[in-house]
């Protein structure tokens, strides 16, 4: 198993541009999450999904959108990028029926200038 | 929502000594408390967790304690080694969602 994979690893965006951060897991996990991590801070939940077709807002959803058309994929869309969205983004997944452990991807470092 | 506070923010210990990190949480409905280790340039990785019906859990050199009445939980690392140097995060879970502390940077001096 590859676990949770994220692409790209790094990206620089200009203010106002849009992009999609990709996240895929091959563990057949039903729950998936997107977090952002700012320097010296813990992880903040952006959006999460409890299964295909079901998504919900986390703590900091403004400026982002998600979709979950399959169990494996959970892309995060940034529309009209702003400097405040400069951060490291982590995707995670878990199989809630058996355990609460969340498995994290390697992260995407995004800079908006 | 849940608020998790973590102390200290940085911790420097001599190799072989113990390290203790403490967290408090606000929501009494929290039922699961994991600890994650994050190495430079990588995603967080679970090192130990505890559920609300357990007071203490140990895994080799790592232990976690939970005091539900006081709403705090702690991570204890004994016989620290250079590879223990990393950022450690505590978290509390309510309704499928984790709220994280701000992290503790642990440095083990050789």
């Amino acid at each position: 198993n590859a676990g949770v994979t994220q692409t790209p690893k790094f990206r620089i965006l200009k203010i106002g541009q849009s992009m999609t951060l990709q996240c895929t897991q091959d563990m057949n996990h039903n729950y998936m999450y997107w977090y952002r991590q700012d320097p010296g801070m813990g992880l903040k939940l952006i959006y999460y999904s409890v299964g295909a077709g079901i998504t919900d807002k986390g703590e900091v959803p403004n400026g982002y959108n998600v979709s979950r058309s399959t169990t494996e994929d959970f892309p995060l869309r940034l529309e009209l990028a702003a400097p405040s969205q400069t951060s490291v983004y982590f995707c995670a997944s878990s199989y809630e029926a058996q355990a609460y452990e969340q498995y994290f991807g390697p992260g995407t470092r995004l800079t908006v200038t | 929502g849940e608020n998790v506070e973590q102390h200290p923010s940085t911790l420097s210990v001599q190799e072989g000594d113990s390290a203790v990190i403490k967290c408090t949480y606000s929501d009494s409905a929290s039922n699961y408390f994991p600890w994650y280790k994050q190495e430079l340039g990588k995603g967080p990785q679970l090192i130990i967790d505890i559920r609300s019906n357990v007071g203490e859990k140990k895994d080799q050199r790592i232990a976690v304690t939970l005091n539900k009445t006081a709403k705090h939980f702690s991570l204890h690392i004994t016989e620290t080694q250079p590879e223990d140097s990393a950022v450690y995060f505590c978290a509390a879970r309510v309704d499928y969602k984790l709220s994280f502390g701000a992290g503790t940077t642990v440095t083990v001096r050789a």
Side-chain angles (χ1 to χ4, degrees), chain A residues 31 33 37 42 96 101-102, chain B residues 36 38 46 89 93 96 101:
Chain A
Y31 284 62
Y33 309 83
Q37 183 178 35
E96 292 282 322
E101 177 178 357
Q102 291 189 16
Chain B
Y36 283 85
Q38 186 177 28
L46 182 75
F89 293 97
R93 179 185 184 271
Y96 316 121

Side-chain angles (χ1 to χ4, degrees), chain B residues 8 10 21 25 28 58 61 65 68 79 82 84 86 95 97 102 105:
Chain B
T10 61
I21 303 170
Y25 62 98
S28 58
K58 188 175 181 181
R61 296 186 297 109
T65 59
K68 285 197 304 181
E79 301 173 14
D84 294 329
D95 295 335
K97 293 175 284 188
T105 301

Side-chain angles (χ1 to χ4, degrees), chain A residues 31 33 35 37 40-43 45 48 90 96 98-102 104-106, chain B residues 31-32 36 38 41-44 46 49 51 89 93 95-98 100-102:
Chain A
Y31 284 62
Y33 309 83
Y35 295 90
Q37 183 178 35
M41 306 286 287
L43 287 81
L45 182 65
Y48 68 102
F90 289 101
E96 292 282 322
Q98 291 185 347
Y100 298 155
E101 177 178 357
Q102 291 189 16
F104 284 80
Chain B
N31 60 359
Y32 171 71
Y36 283 85
Q38 186 177 28
K42 296 185 178 180
L46 182 75
D49 55 14
R51 301 201 180 202
F89 293 97
R93 179 185 184 271
D95 295 335
Y96 316 121
K97 293 175 284 188
L98 288 178
F100 285 82

Side-chain angles (χ1 to χ4, degrees), chain A residues 2-83:
Chain A
V4 179
T5 57
Q6 293 182 239
T7 57
K9 285 185 168 45
F10 305 93
R11 184 71 185 269
I12 299 174
L13 279 183
K14 294 189 186 300
I15 295 172
Q17 287 185 322
S18 300
M19 76 164 294
T20 299
L21 282 66
Q22 301 292 344
C23 175
T24 300
Q25 54 90 10
D26 62 359
M27 298 174 283
N28 200 30
H29 285 171
N30 48 344
Y31 284 62
M32 296 188 74
Y33 309 83
W34 274 106
Y35 295 90
R36 60 177 288 171
Q37 183 178 35
D38 299 317
M41 306 286 287
L43 287 81
K44 301 289 187 185
L45 182 65
I46 305 171
Y47 270 96
Y48 68 102
S49 169
V50 302
I54 306 169
T55 63
D56 205 350
K57 296 178 181 179
E59 188 179 356
V60 290
N62 292 344
Y64 307 95
N65 278 298
V66 294
S67 59
R68 183 98 181 268
S69 57
T70 66
T71 300
E72 295 79 17
D73 300 307
F74 190 40
L76 177 71
R77 178 81 176 164
L78 278 72
E79 304 281 3
L80 299 175

